[in-house]
Amino acid sequence: MSVREEFDEWAASGRDRGMEDRHWHTAKHALARMPVESGDVVLDLGCGSGYAGRALRDTKGAGRVYGLDGAPEMARNAAEYTEDPTVGFLVGDFDELPFADDSIDHVWSMESFYYAADPEHTLEEIARVLRPGGTFYCAVNYYEENVHSHEWQEFISIEMTRWDRDRYREAFREAGLHVAEQDNIPDREITIPTEAEFPTDDWDTREEMVERYREFGTLLTVGVAP
Ligand SMILES: C[S@@+](CC[C@H](N)C(=O)[O-])C[C@H]1O[C@@H](n2cnc3c(N)ncnc32)[C@H](O)[C@@H]1O
C-alpha cells in the first residue's frame, strides 16, 4: 500500500484529528522551543491535519507556513481547517522537497519522518532547503528505545524506519546538519488508569503505560543547518 492509500483512508475516517489531539500533548512543548521569528518561512513535513503550522502562525508569527503531505486527503482536510491565507498545504513526497536551496527557515516534523522511503536522503533534502542557521525539529514516538512502539509496524503497510537516539544524531550529521539538542518529551496529559484497572485493552501493566508516556514520550532531535 502507498502512503497515499494508507493515509488518505486515515484522513477520510477522521484519524487526522485524532492524531492531532494525541500528538499535541508533546508536540506543543517541542513547537514552543522552535526559534521561529516573525516572518519566518516554516515547512511541516507530513503535516496531517496541519495543526503545527497553525500553531506556529498563531504563537510565533511565522510569515509563511507550508504543510507537505503525501496523502491528498490529509492536505485537503488540513486546508479546510484554516482560513489563514499564509498557511498553505501541498501534496508531495519526503524524497524530493519542492523548494529551492536555502529557502526555508525552519522544518518541523511530528510522527512522520520515519515513513520516508529513504530517510538519509530526506535529511539531505532538508539540509538543502534550509537556509544557513535554519533548524529541523524532528519529533518521533516510534524509535528503538521506545520498546512499546515496536509493534506498530504490524498495523501499517508502509515500511517504517526504527532508529535509536544515536542513529538519529549520526544521520543528521551525515546529512550535514549540526545536532543542537536531543531530548525526550514526556506526555503528562494522557490519562493513566489506576493500578486496579489494569490490564486494559491496550496495556498489560500500569508500569508499562507509565514508561511509554511519562518516560519515553516523544524523542526530539534538533538539527541546525551550517
Ligand atoms: C502519523 S501521521 C502524523 C501527522 C501529523 N504530523 C501529526 O502529528 O498528527 C504521518 C503523516 O505523514 C505523511 N507521510 C508519510 N510518509 C510520507 C512521505 N513519504 N511523504 C510525504 N508525506 C508522508 C502521511 O500521509 C501522514 O499524514
Side-chain angles (χ1 to χ4, degrees), residues 3 7 10 16 19-20 23 44-49 51 68-71 74 92-94 110-112 114-117:
V3 166
F7 289 103
W10 287 34
D16 55 340
M19 287 192 291
E20 170 175 341
H23 295 165
D44 179 1
L45 287 182
C47 62
S49 72
Y51 67 89
L68 180 143
D69 205 285
M74 283 284 185
D93 194 272
F94 298 160
M110 172 75 186
E111 278 293 84
S112 301
Y114 50 74
Y115 292 113

Side-chain angles (χ1 to χ4, degrees), residues 43-77:
L43 169 62
D44 179 1
L45 287 182
C47 62
S49 72
Y51 67 89
R54 281 185 264 122
L56 289 171
R57 267 288 295 161
D58 294 346
T59 60
K60 308 230 177 197
R64 181 78 182 128
V65 175
Y66 297 100
L68 180 143
D69 205 285
E73 290 296 322
M74 283 284 185
R76 202 169 60 85
N77 280 3

Side-chain angles (χ1 to χ4, degrees), residues 59-153:
T59 60
K60 308 230 177 197
R64 181 78 182 128
V65 175
Y66 297 100
L68 180 143
D69 205 285
E73 290 296 322
M74 283 284 185
R76 202 169 60 85
N77 280 3
E80 275 178 13
Y81 300 150
T82 180
E83 292 179 351
D84 186 340
T86 62
V87 181
F89 297 95
L90 58 145
V91 178
D93 194 272
F94 298 160
D95 211 34
E96 191 179 349
L97 303 183
F99 296 94
D101 297 1
D102 301 348
S103 61
I104 304 286
D105 293 299
H106 303 284
V107 177
W108 162 262
S109 182
M110 172 75 186
E111 278 293 84
S112 301
F113 175 78
Y114 50 74
Y115 292 113
D118 183 350
E120 285 90 354
H121 177 65
T122 294
L123 284 172
E124 287 168 2
E125 277 290 276
I126 292 166
R128 178 184 67 75
V129 301
L130 277 175
R131 66 155 174 81
T135 66
F136 174 37
Y137 275 63
C138 180
V140 295
N141 296 343
Y142 180 76
Y143 59 96
E144 185 63 26
E145 286 85 352
N146 181 4
V147 291
H148 308 294
S149 70
H150 291 189
E151 65 177 18
W152 297 355
Q153 179 66 85

